[in-house]
Amino acid sequence: MRDATTRLETVSGGPVRAITGTTRFIRYAFMPNRLRYCGGDDNRTLFDYALEMVREPPLEQMLARFTGALPYLRLIARENGIPDPFDERVVEAYWIGNELLERVEARQLYDALDERFGKQLSPRLRALVLGKAPAGARPHHTFHVFDVHARVGELEHSLETMDQCRISWGRVRAVDGAELVVDRQPLVLVDGKLALGPAETVRVTRQVDGRGFADAAQPGDWVSLHWGWVCEVLTPRQQATLARYTAHHLALANQTL
C-alpha cells in the first residue's frame, strides 16, 4: 500500500470522486465481509484501504469479489453514463439512494435481473422477482434485501436477517468508547406485512481496534448501520433519502408477501 505522502498527492491531484467512492463502498461492505457473508478474505486490508482513502490495483481485485453488489453498481453507472462503478455518486445511489436510481429504466433493471438470476429461479420465482422492475423497483440495496436475496438462497431468510442486512439509520444518543448508543427503528411484521417499528435504543459498534468510519459522530447525529456496524455519519438529506427508498421497497415487498 502507498505511504501517506503518496496518498495525499493522489487525493489532491487524482480522481478524488473515485477514491471517496471506494472508501464509501467499503464502509458499508466492511461488516458483512467481516462476517463472511460477501466478498473475499481481505477484511483487514479493505479496512486499511478505506481508512487511508487509497485506490490502487490490489483493491480493484478485492472489490471485484463483491458479486452481490457489483452488478447493481455497474447497472447504475452504465445507465447514467458514468464509466466507473465505484464513482462516489454510484456508490451512494446503491447504499443510500440518490437521483441516479431514477435514471435506470425498468426494462434495464428487468434485463439485468433476468441475466443474473433468471436461470436459477423457478418460473414462479422468476416472474415474481423480475416483475418488481416494472412495479417500481430501483437498483437499491433495500430492493435486493427485501425481494431478491431471500429467493436466490444467498442467506438464511428471516426477519432478523433482513433487518441486519438492510442499511438502517439511527439517531445518536451517546458515544461510549468503541460503541454508539442510538435510537433505531427495527424491522417488524404487522398483520403479516413488513414495517418499521417504534424506535428502540440499541448499542452499535463504531470502531475496531480504536479505528472506524464515524469517529466524529456526536449526540444528535444520524448514522447509517449495517449488521450492527456504524458505516458513516449521514447528512439530514441522506437520512431522509434512505428512509424514503426503504419505505418504497418495503411497500413493494409487501405486495407479494
Side-chain angles (χ1 to χ4, degrees), residues 13-35:
V16 174
R17 184 178 297 279
I19 293 172
T20 53
T22 55
T23 295
R24 174 168 277 159
F25 181 83
I26 296 168
R27 289 179 177 186
Y28 287 86
F30 168 73
M31 187 52 68
N33 178 253
R34 185 179 176 90
L35 295 171

Side-chain angles (χ1 to χ4, degrees), residues 6 8 14-15 30 37-38 40 45 48 71 79 90 116 118 126 128 137 141 144 183 247 249:
T6 303
L8 289 174
F30 168 73
Y37 292 147
C38 62
T45 305
D48 290 342
E79 294 307 305
V90 175
R116 186 174 174 187
R126 178 182 176 276
L128 189 153
H141 184 65
H144 187 76
D183 291 333
H249 288 102

